[in-house]
Amino acid sequence: LYIAWMFGWHYLFWAWIDGDRHPDLCQAVLHRACSFQAAFTHFFSADGVYVPWGRSLGSRFGGLGTFIFGHLLKIAPEPPGALRRLSSGCLRYFYEHGLFHPREHYWTQGFHGHNPAALERYASPGSPNCAAQGLLALTLDPDDAFWTAVEAPLPVERADFELVLPAPGFVV
């Protein structure tokens, strides 16, 4: 899962600002990102949470940044309305599950509320920073299709599915 909020969106950020200088590498990055995103959309439930696995659970909705860069670079496998539905659902989920300290209103560190057991020692102080990557859509223009399209259903809301991902050994 770390790929979504660290490597995935960082490579897409590079492709956005400097990919023209290395077109072959840029195309490989975009192809792989599109493939990852197509599978990753299936990990989000109707209530907005993703299947939590791996490390960096304290980064919560940081993985949304990869979808926003996918949208900016026109490689997102889902239409803008579905990306907005994915984003709003995920943000709402974590807001409703203890994102903010109830009295002091800072971002808690953990998965649900303050939960140090969900954090890694090397990244604990940075988990809100990684989560903030999920707010990248706030930089889009108000007339961008991400904001103007009607929210569309997620894969899990459209139909039942079985997604087999051989490389990581997952079945969703």
Side-chain angles (χ1 to χ4, degrees), residues 99-170:
L99 175 63
F100 293 103
H101 186 279
R103 289 178 307 283
E104 298 178 32
H105 307 291
Y106 60 82
W107 282 13
T108 59
Q109 294 186 331
F111 192 73
H112 284 169
H114 185 66
N115 182 1
L119 304 173
E120 297 167 287
R121 290 184 187 156
Y122 78 92
S124 293
S127 65
N129 178 52
C130 291
Q133 296 165 170
L135 301 177
L136 182 63
L138 296 175
T139 67
L140 299 174
D141 290 331
D143 61 347
D144 187 280
F146 180 88
W147 296 115
T148 60
V150 174
E151 286 196 4
L154 301 175
V156 71
E157 296 170 311
R158 294 191 292 253
D160 292 339
F161 59 83
E162 181 176 295
L163 177 66
V164 178
L165 302 170
F170 293 163

Side-chain angles (χ1 to χ4, degrees), residues 12-127:
L12 290 175
F13 184 55
W14 166 82
W16 186 55
I17 62 172
D18 195 39
D20 292 344
R21 290 188 328 124
H22 304 279
D24 292 340
L25 179 58
C26 184
Q27 282 308 112
V29 165
L30 296 178
H31 175 74
R32 290 176 183 161
C34 184
S35 176
F36 172 79
Q37 290 179 22
F40 193 37
T41 60
H42 290 79
F43 281 74
F44 288 80
S45 69
D47 67 355
V49 71
Y50 56 87
V51 176
W53 85 92
R55 11 188 289 186
S56 298
L57 298 179
S59 298
R60 292 179 171 129
F61 46 80
L64 299 176
T66 192
F67 294 115
I68 303 309
F69 266 113
H71 171 72
L72 284 170
L73 294 165
K74 300 183 181 359
I75 60 154
E78 293 284 342
L83 295 177
R84 193 170 94 228
R85 165 69 182 97
L86 189 145
S87 297
S88 68
C90 191
L91 290 168
R92 185 178 309 109
Y93 177 86
F94 286 107
Y95 174 78
E96 292 172 352
H97 288 86
L99 175 63
F100 293 103
H101 186 279
R103 289 178 307 283
E104 298 178 32
H105 307 291
Y106 60 82
W107 282 13
T108 59
Q109 294 186 331
F111 192 73
H112 284 169
H114 185 66
N115 182 1
L119 304 173
E120 297 167 287
R121 290 184 187 156
Y122 78 92
S124 293
S127 65

